[in-house]
Amino acid sequence: MAKIQASSALQRFRVLDLSRVRAGPTCVRMLADFGADVIRIEPPMGVDPNANMFADVRLGGDFQNLNRNKRSLTLNLKKPEAKEILYKLVEEADVVVENWRPDVKERLGVDYESLKKINPRIILASISGFGQSGPYVKRPGFDQIVQGMGGMMSVTGLPGQGPVRAGIAVADSSAGLYTALGIMTALLEREQSGEGQWVHTSLLHAQIAMLDFQAARYLNDGDVPIQAGNDHPTSCPMGLFHGSDGDFNIGVSGDGQWVQFCKALDKPEWGEDPRFKTVKDRREHRPELNALIQEIFSTQSVSYWVDRLNAFGVPSGPVYTVPEMFEDPQIQHLGVYQEVEDSDIGKKYFITQPVHLSRTTANVAKVAPKWGEHTDEILGELDYSQEQISHFHEIGAV
Protein backbone atom coordinates (compact mmCIF):
# COMPACT_ATOMS: atom_id res chain seq x y z
CA MET A 1 0.00 0.00 0.00
CA ALA A 2 1.31 3.45 -0.91
CA LYS A 3 1.88 6.00 1.84
CA ILE A 4 -0.91 8.50 2.36
CA GLN A 5 -0.22 11.60 0.27
CA ALA A 6 -2.44 14.47 1.36
CA SER A 7 -0.13 17.21 0.04
CA SER A 8 3.39 17.60 -1.30
CA ALA A 9 4.26 20.40 1.15
CA LEU A 10 5.68 18.23 3.96
CA GLN A 11 6.06 14.92 2.17
CA ARG A 12 9.78 14.68 2.97
CA PHE A 13 9.11 14.49 6.72
CA ARG A 14 8.15 11.50 8.86
CA VAL A 15 6.30 12.10 12.12
CA LEU A 16 5.83 9.52 14.88
CA ASP A 17 2.61 10.32 16.74
CA LEU A 18 2.56 8.92 20.28
CA SER A 19 -0.10 11.38 21.42
CA ARG A 20 -3.64 10.81 22.63
CA VAL A 21 -6.96 12.58 23.20
CA ARG A 22 -6.91 16.10 21.63
CA ALA A 23 -3.93 18.44 22.00
CA GLY A 24 -1.35 16.10 20.46
CA PRO A 25 -3.59 14.80 17.65
CA THR A 26 -4.55 18.41 16.80
CA CYS A 27 -0.88 19.26 16.37
CA VAL A 28 -0.10 16.19 14.26
CA ARG A 29 -3.24 16.56 12.13
CA MET A 30 -1.87 19.80 10.72
CA LEU A 31 1.37 18.09 9.70
CA ALA A 32 -0.53 15.13 8.23
CA ASP A 33 -2.88 17.34 6.21
CA PHE A 34 0.12 19.04 4.65
CA GLY A 35 1.56 15.72 3.58
CA ALA A 36 3.90 14.48 6.32
CA ASP A 37 4.11 10.68 6.63
CA VAL A 38 2.48 10.31 10.05
CA ILE A 39 2.62 7.02 11.91
CA ARG A 40 0.18 6.95 14.81
CA ILE A 41 1.69 4.61 17.42
CA GLU A 42 -0.85 3.04 19.77
CA PRO A 43 -0.69 0.28 22.37
CA PRO A 44 -2.07 -3.09 21.25
CA MET A 45 -5.69 -3.79 22.19
CA GLY A 46 -6.06 -4.47 25.91
CA VAL A 47 -2.73 -2.98 27.03
CA ASP A 48 -3.89 0.51 27.99
CA PRO A 49 -6.63 0.63 30.69
CA ASN A 50 -7.75 4.01 29.33
CA ALA A 51 -7.96 2.79 25.75
CA ASN A 52 -11.73 3.29 25.62
CA MET A 53 -11.08 7.04 25.67
CA PHE A 54 -10.10 6.79 22.03
CA ALA A 55 -11.18 3.32 20.91
CA ASP A 56 -14.92 2.96 21.43
CA VAL A 57 -15.55 6.11 19.42
CA ARG A 58 -13.05 5.34 16.67
CA LEU A 59 -15.65 5.60 13.93
CA GLY A 60 -17.16 8.76 15.40
CA GLY A 61 -16.71 12.15 13.83
CA ASP A 62 -14.39 13.55 16.51
CA PHE A 63 -11.81 10.74 16.36
CA GLN A 64 -11.99 10.63 12.59
CA ASN A 65 -11.52 14.39 12.30
CA LEU A 66 -8.50 14.37 14.64
CA ASN A 67 -6.71 11.38 13.16
CA ARG A 68 -7.29 11.46 9.40
CA ASN A 69 -4.34 11.09 7.03
CA LYS A 70 -2.39 8.93 9.53
CA ARG A 71 -1.19 5.34 9.47
CA SER A 72 -1.54 3.18 12.59
CA LEU A 73 1.12 0.97 14.15
CA THR A 74 0.58 -0.85 17.45
CA LEU A 75 3.52 -1.09 19.88
CA ASN A 76 3.58 -2.22 23.49
CA LEU A 77 6.46 -0.04 24.66
CA LYS A 78 6.78 -2.06 27.87
CA LYS A 79 8.22 -4.83 25.72
CA PRO A 80 11.92 -4.51 24.72
CA GLU A 81 11.13 -5.75 21.22
CA ALA A 82 8.60 -2.95 20.73
CA LYS A 83 11.04 -0.35 22.00
CA GLU A 84 13.58 -1.68 19.51
CA ILE A 85 11.04 -1.15 16.72
CA LEU A 86 10.36 2.39 17.94
CA TYR A 87 14.05 3.22 18.06
CA LYS A 88 14.46 1.87 14.54
CA LEU A 89 11.71 4.24 13.41
CA VAL A 90 13.37 7.13 15.25
CA GLU A 91 16.60 6.57 13.27
CA GLU A 92 14.89 7.82 10.11
CA ALA A 93 12.13 10.00 11.57
CA ASP A 94 12.09 13.79 11.76
CA VAL A 95 9.60 14.41 14.57
CA VAL A 96 8.21 12.54 17.58
CA VAL A 97 5.10 13.97 19.27
CA GLU A 98 3.90 12.90 22.72
CA ASN A 99 1.56 14.27 25.37
CA TRP A 100 2.17 11.96 28.32
CA ARG A 101 2.85 13.22 31.81
CA PRO A 102 6.50 14.36 31.81
CA ASP A 103 7.88 11.42 33.82
CA VAL A 104 6.34 8.79 31.53
CA LYS A 105 8.61 9.42 28.54
CA GLU A 106 11.70 9.12 30.73
CA ARG A 107 10.43 5.84 32.16
CA LEU A 108 9.83 4.51 28.66
CA GLY A 109 13.07 5.87 27.21
CA VAL A 110 11.35 8.31 24.87
CA ASP A 111 12.83 11.46 26.44
CA TYR A 112 14.82 13.86 24.28
CA GLU A 113 18.28 12.83 25.48
CA SER A 114 17.55 9.16 24.72
CA LEU A 115 16.17 9.93 21.25
CA LYS A 116 18.99 12.36 20.47
CA LYS A 117 21.54 9.58 20.93
CA ILE A 118 19.74 7.57 18.24
CA ASN A 119 19.14 10.48 15.86
CA PRO A 120 20.76 13.88 16.55
CA ARG A 121 18.39 15.47 14.01
CA ILE A 122 15.23 14.30 15.79
CA ILE A 123 12.72 16.87 17.05
CA LEU A 124 10.78 15.76 20.11
CA ALA A 125 7.55 17.70 20.67
CA SER A 126 6.00 17.34 24.12
CA ILE A 127 2.64 18.64 25.31
CA SER A 128 1.75 18.47 29.00
CA GLY A 129 -0.90 19.88 31.25
CA PHE A 130 1.33 22.12 33.34
CA GLY A 131 4.86 22.03 31.93
CA GLN A 132 7.91 19.79 31.96
CA SER A 133 9.07 20.97 35.39
CA GLY A 134 7.77 22.83 38.43
CA PRO A 135 5.47 22.05 41.37
CA TYR A 136 2.62 20.72 39.18
CA VAL A 137 4.78 18.64 36.86
CA LYS A 138 3.14 15.32 37.80
CA ARG A 139 -0.44 16.56 37.71
CA PRO A 140 -2.70 15.27 34.93
CA GLY A 141 -4.10 18.12 32.87
CA PHE A 142 -7.48 18.32 31.14
CA ASP A 143 -8.85 21.23 29.15
CA GLN A 144 -11.50 22.38 31.63
CA ILE A 145 -9.09 22.20 34.58
CA VAL A 146 -6.73 24.47 32.69
CA GLN A 147 -9.48 26.83 31.51
CA GLY A 148 -10.16 27.43 35.19
CA MET A 149 -6.54 27.83 36.26
CA GLY A 150 -5.58 29.85 33.19
CA GLY A 151 -8.12 32.62 33.80
CA MET A 152 -10.47 31.78 30.90
CA MET A 153 -13.47 30.86 33.03
CA SER A 154 -13.23 34.06 35.08
CA VAL A 155 -13.80 36.24 32.01
CA THR A 156 -16.36 34.03 30.23
CA GLY A 157 -20.10 34.34 30.81
CA LEU A 158 -22.54 36.95 32.02
CA PRO A 159 -21.55 39.34 34.81
CA GLY A 160 -22.12 37.80 38.21
CA GLN A 161 -23.16 34.35 37.05
CA GLY A 162 -19.97 32.66 38.18
CA PRO A 163 -17.21 30.94 36.19
CA VAL A 164 -18.19 29.54 32.78
CA ARG A 165 -16.13 27.25 30.54
CA ALA A 166 -15.77 28.06 26.89
CA GLY A 167 -17.85 25.83 24.63
CA ILE A 168 -14.76 24.49 22.84
CA ALA A 169 -11.50 22.92 24.04
CA VAL A 170 -9.52 26.16 23.94
CA ALA A 171 -6.52 24.94 25.96
CA ASP A 172 -6.20 21.64 24.10
CA SER A 173 -6.59 23.09 20.64
CA SER A 174 -4.33 26.09 21.18
CA ALA A 175 -1.61 23.93 22.74
CA GLY A 176 -1.77 21.67 19.69
CA LEU A 177 -1.52 24.57 17.26
CA TYR A 178 1.32 26.27 19.16
CA THR A 179 3.20 22.96 19.15
CA ALA A 180 2.74 22.56 15.39
CA LEU A 181 4.19 26.05 14.96
CA GLY A 182 7.09 25.12 17.25
CA ILE A 183 7.79 21.97 15.23
CA MET A 184 7.85 23.89 11.95
CA THR A 185 10.20 26.47 13.49
CA ALA A 186 12.51 23.70 14.72
CA LEU A 187 12.49 22.05 11.29
CA LEU A 188 13.45 25.35 9.66
CA GLU A 189 16.23 25.93 12.20
CA ARG A 190 17.52 22.39 11.62
CA GLU A 191 18.25 23.33 8.01
CA GLN A 192 20.90 25.73 9.39
CA SER A 193 22.27 23.80 12.36
CA GLY A 194 21.72 20.21 11.27
CA GLU A 195 20.50 19.45 14.81
CA GLY A 196 17.14 18.65 16.27
CA GLN A 197 15.79 19.98 19.56
CA TRP A 198 13.12 19.56 22.19
CA VAL A 199 9.94 21.54 21.57
CA HIS A 200 7.46 21.63 24.42
CA THR A 201 4.45 23.55 25.63
CA SER A 202 1.69 23.09 28.17
CA LEU A 203 -2.06 23.50 28.12
CA LEU A 204 -1.69 26.03 30.94
CA HIS A 205 0.78 28.27 29.12
CA ALA A 206 -1.14 28.01 25.85
CA GLN A 207 -4.38 28.96 27.63
CA ILE A 208 -2.78 32.01 29.22
CA ALA A 209 -1.29 33.02 25.87
CA MET A 210 -4.80 32.88 24.42
CA LEU A 211 -5.96 35.40 27.04
CA ASP A 212 -3.77 37.82 25.09
CA PHE A 213 -5.11 41.37 25.57
CA GLN A 214 -6.97 40.43 28.75
CA ALA A 215 -3.74 39.27 30.42
CA ALA A 216 -1.77 42.22 28.99
CA ARG A 217 -4.32 44.69 30.39
CA TYR A 218 -3.76 43.35 33.88
CA LEU A 219 0.04 43.03 33.70
CA ASN A 220 0.60 46.50 32.28
CA ASP A 221 -2.37 48.57 33.41
CA GLY A 222 -3.56 46.79 36.54
CA ASP A 223 -6.97 46.41 34.90
CA VAL A 224 -8.50 43.18 36.24
CA PRO A 225 -10.61 41.52 33.51
CA ILE A 226 -14.06 40.40 34.59
CA GLN A 227 -17.06 38.77 32.96
CA ALA A 228 -18.51 41.14 30.39
CA GLY A 229 -21.09 38.82 28.91
CA ASN A 230 -21.66 39.60 25.24
CA ASP A 231 -20.22 43.10 25.50
CA HIS A 232 -16.62 43.71 24.48
CA PRO A 233 -14.50 44.57 27.55
CA THR A 234 -13.07 47.78 26.06
CA SER A 235 -14.88 48.75 22.83
CA CYS A 236 -18.43 50.10 22.70
CA PRO A 237 -20.88 49.47 21.19
CA MET A 238 -19.69 45.96 20.46
CA GLY A 239 -21.69 42.89 21.36
CA LEU A 240 -24.96 41.01 20.99
CA PHE A 241 -28.23 42.68 20.08
CA HIS A 242 -31.67 41.48 19.02
CA GLY A 243 -33.53 42.11 15.81
CA SER A 244 -37.24 41.49 15.43
CA ASP A 245 -36.59 37.84 14.56
CA GLY A 246 -33.32 36.84 16.26
CA ASP A 247 -29.86 37.75 17.51
CA PHE A 248 -26.89 39.36 15.82
CA ASN A 249 -23.52 40.84 16.73
CA ILE A 250 -22.15 44.27 15.95
CA GLY A 251 -18.64 45.65 16.30
CA VAL A 252 -17.91 49.37 16.42
CA SER A 253 -14.22 50.11 16.93
CA GLY A 254 -12.99 53.67 16.84
CA ASP A 255 -14.68 57.00 16.37
CA GLY A 256 -14.79 56.80 12.57
CA GLN A 257 -16.82 53.62 12.68
CA TRP A 258 -19.02 55.14 15.37
CA VAL A 259 -19.96 58.00 13.03
CA GLN A 260 -20.85 55.49 10.30
CA PHE A 261 -22.85 53.46 12.78
CA CYS A 262 -24.88 56.54 13.75
CA LYS A 263 -25.62 57.22 10.08
CA ALA A 264 -26.75 53.60 9.56
CA LEU A 265 -29.25 54.02 12.40
CA ASP A 266 -30.37 57.44 11.12
CA LYS A 267 -29.08 58.96 14.33
CA PRO A 268 -26.25 61.26 13.16
CA GLU A 269 -26.77 63.48 16.21
CA TRP A 270 -25.39 60.69 18.43
CA GLY A 271 -21.99 61.34 16.86
CA GLU A 272 -21.85 64.71 18.60
CA ASP A 273 -23.61 63.73 21.82
CA PRO A 274 -21.12 64.32 24.70
CA ARG A 275 -22.26 61.06 26.33
CA PHE A 276 -21.12 59.05 23.30
CA LYS A 277 -18.53 61.12 21.46
CA THR A 278 -15.42 59.08 22.33
CA VAL A 279 -14.80 55.40 23.05
CA LYS A 280 -14.28 56.27 26.71
CA ASP A 281 -17.56 58.20 26.81
CA ARG A 282 -19.46 55.35 25.20
CA ARG A 283 -17.96 52.79 27.55
CA GLU A 284 -18.92 54.88 30.60
CA HIS A 285 -22.51 55.17 29.30
CA ARG A 286 -22.71 51.65 27.89
CA PRO A 287 -26.05 50.58 29.54
CA GLU A 288 -27.79 53.76 28.40
CA LEU A 289 -26.36 53.53 24.88
CA ASN A 290 -27.11 49.84 24.49
CA ALA A 291 -30.73 50.44 25.50
CA LEU A 292 -31.13 53.18 22.89
CA ILE A 293 -29.55 51.00 20.20
CA GLN A 294 -31.66 47.99 21.11
CA GLU A 295 -34.86 49.99 20.82
CA ILE A 296 -34.01 50.75 17.19
CA PHE A 297 -32.78 47.27 16.34
CA SER A 298 -36.06 45.74 17.54
CA THR A 299 -37.92 47.38 14.66
CA GLN A 300 -36.31 45.34 11.85
CA SER A 301 -35.12 41.82 11.10
CA VAL A 302 -31.61 40.49 11.64
CA SER A 303 -30.97 40.27 7.89
CA TYR A 304 -32.03 43.90 7.43
CA TRP A 305 -29.60 45.17 10.07
CA VAL A 306 -26.72 42.93 9.06
CA ASP A 307 -26.98 44.08 5.44
CA ARG A 308 -27.43 47.74 6.35
CA LEU A 309 -24.61 47.92 8.88
CA ASN A 310 -22.15 46.17 6.59
CA ALA A 311 -23.12 48.54 3.78
CA PHE A 312 -22.01 51.39 6.06
CA GLY A 313 -18.72 49.62 6.85
CA VAL A 314 -19.81 48.53 10.33
CA PRO A 315 -19.00 44.86 11.11
CA SER A 316 -22.13 42.84 11.83
CA GLY A 317 -23.20 39.23 11.56
CA PRO A 318 -25.95 36.83 12.65
CA VAL A 319 -25.60 34.36 15.51
CA TYR A 320 -25.86 30.86 14.07
CA THR A 321 -26.43 27.45 15.48
CA VAL A 322 -23.91 24.92 14.12
CA PRO A 323 -26.37 23.62 11.46
CA GLU A 324 -27.20 27.20 10.39
CA MET A 325 -23.50 28.01 10.24
CA PHE A 326 -22.81 25.29 7.68
CA GLU A 327 -25.62 26.66 5.47
CA ASP A 328 -24.11 30.14 5.17
CA PRO A 329 -23.04 30.84 1.55
CA GLN A 330 -19.67 32.33 2.51
CA ILE A 331 -18.86 29.35 4.72
CA GLN A 332 -19.79 27.00 1.89
CA HIS A 333 -17.63 29.03 -0.48
CA LEU A 334 -14.63 28.73 1.87
CA GLY A 335 -14.82 24.93 1.78
CA VAL A 336 -14.62 24.50 5.53
CA TYR A 337 -15.44 20.81 5.32
CA GLN A 338 -14.56 18.01 2.96
CA GLU A 339 -16.34 14.76 2.17
CA VAL A 340 -14.29 11.55 2.04
CA GLU A 341 -15.71 8.20 0.95
CA ASP A 342 -14.22 5.07 2.53
CA SER A 343 -15.01 1.55 1.41
CA ASP A 344 -15.24 0.26 4.99
CA ILE A 345 -16.93 3.04 6.97
CA GLY A 346 -18.75 4.94 4.22
CA LYS A 347 -18.97 8.70 3.89
CA LYS A 348 -17.32 10.99 6.45
CA TYR A 349 -17.01 14.76 6.67
CA PHE A 350 -13.89 16.54 7.89
CA ILE A 351 -13.13 20.12 8.90
CA THR A 352 -10.44 21.40 6.56
CA GLN A 353 -7.32 23.34 7.49
CA PRO A 354 -8.14 27.07 7.69
CA VAL A 355 -4.78 28.11 6.23
CA HIS A 356 -4.49 27.87 2.45
CA LEU A 357 -1.30 27.57 0.40
CA SER A 358 -1.65 28.52 -3.25
CA ARG A 359 0.41 25.60 -4.64
CA THR A 360 0.66 22.93 -1.93
CA THR A 361 -2.59 23.20 -0.03
CA ALA A 362 -3.65 20.78 2.70
CA ASN A 363 -6.06 17.97 1.91
CA VAL A 364 -7.94 15.12 3.57
CA ALA A 365 -6.92 12.03 1.65
CA LYS A 366 -7.81 9.21 4.06
CA VAL A 367 -10.08 8.57 7.02
CA ALA A 368 -8.55 7.73 10.41
CA PRO A 369 -6.89 4.30 10.44
CA LYS A 370 -8.25 1.17 12.06
CA TRP A 371 -6.41 0.10 15.19
CA GLY A 372 -3.03 -1.20 14.03
CA GLU A 373 -4.16 -1.16 10.40
CA HIS A 374 -0.68 -0.52 9.02
CA THR A 375 1.40 -2.46 11.56
CA ASP A 376 2.64 -5.19 9.22
CA GLU A 377 3.13 -2.72 6.39
CA ILE A 378 5.33 -0.41 8.47
CA LEU A 379 7.32 -3.30 9.95
CA GLY A 380 7.96 -4.47 6.40
CA GLU A 381 9.28 -1.02 5.52
CA LEU A 382 11.75 -1.45 8.39
CA ASP A 383 12.99 -4.66 6.68
CA TYR A 384 11.58 -7.05 9.27
CA SER A 385 10.85 -10.47 7.79
CA GLN A 386 7.39 -12.03 7.86
CA GLU A 387 8.70 -14.53 10.41
CA GLN A 388 9.88 -11.71 12.69
CA ILE A 389 6.58 -9.85 12.28
CA SER A 390 4.63 -12.98 13.24
CA HIS A 391 6.86 -13.35 16.31
CA PHE A 392 6.16 -9.77 17.38
CA HIS A 393 2.44 -10.51 17.22
CA GLU A 394 2.84 -13.74 19.18
CA ILE A 395 4.68 -12.10 22.10
CA GLY A 396 2.35 -9.10 22.22
CA ALA A 397 4.98 -6.56 21.19
CA VAL A 398 2.68 -5.25 18.43
Side-chain angles (χ1 to χ4, degrees):
M1 175 182 173
K3 294 177 184 177
I4 298 166
Q5 188 63 69
S7 171
S8 62
L10 301 179
Q11 64 181 356
R12 67 190 184 278
F13 298 116
R14 170 169 280 184
V15 179
L16 307 181
D17 181 10
L18 293 161
S19 69
R20 298 291 179 270
V21 192
R22 185 166 310 281
T26 296
C27 162
V28 179
R29 174 179 61 191
M30 175 163 273
L31 307 178
D33 286 359
F34 280 103
D37 177 25
V38 173
I39 299 175
R40 177 179 165 81
I41 299 173
E42 309 175 81
M45 194 79 74
V47 170
D48 187 344
N50 295 315
N52 61 349
M53 288 175 63
F54 42 84
D56 291 349
V57 293
R58 202 173 188 96
L59 298 182
D62 186 26
F63 185 94
Q64 288 288 319
N65 195 51
L66 281 170
N67 293 290
R68 76 273 186 113
N69 290 336
K70 303 177 184 180
R71 298 193 288 167
S72 174
L73 164 70
T74 55
L75 288 180
N76 181 357
L77 293 177
K78 296 177 182 178
K79 299 272 188 179
E81 295 86 353
K83 196 170 294 184
E84 175 192 313
I85 294 169
L86 176 64
Y87 286 166
K88 198 166 184 179
L89 283 166
V90 168
E91 289 176 6
E92 300 299 327
D94 297 283
V95 180
V96 176
V97 180
E98 59 86 20
N99 60 351
W100 298 318
R101 284 203 302 265
D103 59 316
V104 173
K105 61 179 163 292
E106 294 176 3
R107 194 165 65 244
L108 292 176
V110 192
D111 57 287
Y112 178 62
E113 291 303 318
S114 297
L115 299 183
K116 181 181 178 182
K117 292 175 183 176
I118 301 166
N119 179 358
R121 291 174 56 82
I122 199 70
I123 292 162
L124 173 64
S126 299
I127 304 173
S128 62
F130 300 99
Q132 298 296 315
S133 59
Y136 300 159
V137 66
K138 292 188 177 180
R139 286 190 183 185
F142 266 45
D143 182 89
Q144 183 157 346
I145 308 303
V146 171
Q147 283 196 34
M149 295 178 67
M152 168 70 77
M153 293 175 66
S154 74
V155 298
T156 304
L158 299 172
Q161 78 173 113
V164 178
R165 68 178 290 274
I168 59 172
V170 179
D172 274 332
S173 297
S174 59
L177 294 174
Y178 280 126
T179 305
L181 177 60
I183 289 170
M184 295 307 299
T185 303
L187 286 170
L188 284 170
E189 192 280 335
R190 193 179 71 175
E191 294 179 0
Q192 296 176 319
S193 67
E195 298 181 20
Q197 56 185 308
W198 187 19
V199 174
H200 55 89
T201 191
S202 65
L203 271 64
L204 184 59
H205 198 159
Q207 174 64 90
I208 294 169
M210 291 296 287
L211 284 183
D212 197 35
F213 79 98
Q214 295 279 44
R217 285 170 57 206
Y218 169 69
L219 287 174
N220 294 286
D221 307 323
D223 190 356
V224 179
I226 59 173
Q227 291 169 312
N230 291 309
D231 290 322
H232 191 276
T234 58
S235 295
C236 181
M238 185 177 291
L240 182 74
F241 290 88
H242 317 291
S244 61
D245 59 351
D247 302 322
F248 64 104
N249 284 306
I250 68 166
V252 178
S253 179
D255 294 336
Q257 254 181 12
W258 166 244
V259 171
Q260 290 300 104
F261 178 76
C262 294
K263 291 178 181 177
L265 269 61
D266 293 324
K267 291 290 184 179
E269 66 273 18
W270 285 359
E272 298 301 321
D273 192 312
R275 296 171 298 172
F276 311 139
K277 191 169 180 61
T278 68
V279 172
K280 184 174 182 291
D281 295 331
R282 295 192 292 277
R283 192 165 59 240
E284 289 177 354
H285 295 89
R286 188 196 300 267
E288 182 181 1
L289 177 58
N290 281 357
L292 291 171
I293 292 170
Q294 182 55 66
E295 185 177 352
I296 295 173
F297 282 158
S298 298
T299 63
Q300 298 285 351
S301 68
V302 168
S303 62
Y304 173 86
W305 288 118
V306 168
D307 290 345
R308 182 168 176 82
L309 290 170
N310 278 288
F312 277 81
V314 178
S316 177
V319 177
Y320 289 143
T321 63
V322 172
E324 289 170 339
M325 176 267 290
F326 280 116
E327 293 299 318
D328 183 278
Q330 181 64 28
I331 289 169
Q332 291 183 349
H333 171 77
L334 291 173
V336 299
Y337 66 90
Q338 180 180 338
E339 176 186 314
V340 177
E341 186 78 36
D342 182 80
S343 58
D344 292 327
I345 66 173
K347 189 183 297 182
K348 290 290 181 182
Y349 297 92
F350 299 89
I351 304 301
T352 55
Q353 289 292 345
V355 58
H356 296 268
L357 277 64
S358 62
R359 289 188 298 102
T360 57
T361 193
N363 185 39
V364 183
K366 189 76 171 62
V367 300
K370 302 183 187 71
W371 201 315
E373 178 180 349
H374 306 94
T375 296
D376 290 3
E377 171 188 312
I378 294 167
L379 293 176
E381 291 172 5
L382 295 174
D383 294 326
Y384 287 110
S385 68
Q386 188 55 55
E387 183 179 1
Q388 288 174 303
I389 294 172
S390 297
H391 175 65
F392 291 147
H393 282 286
E394 288 170 8
I395 65 173
V398 300

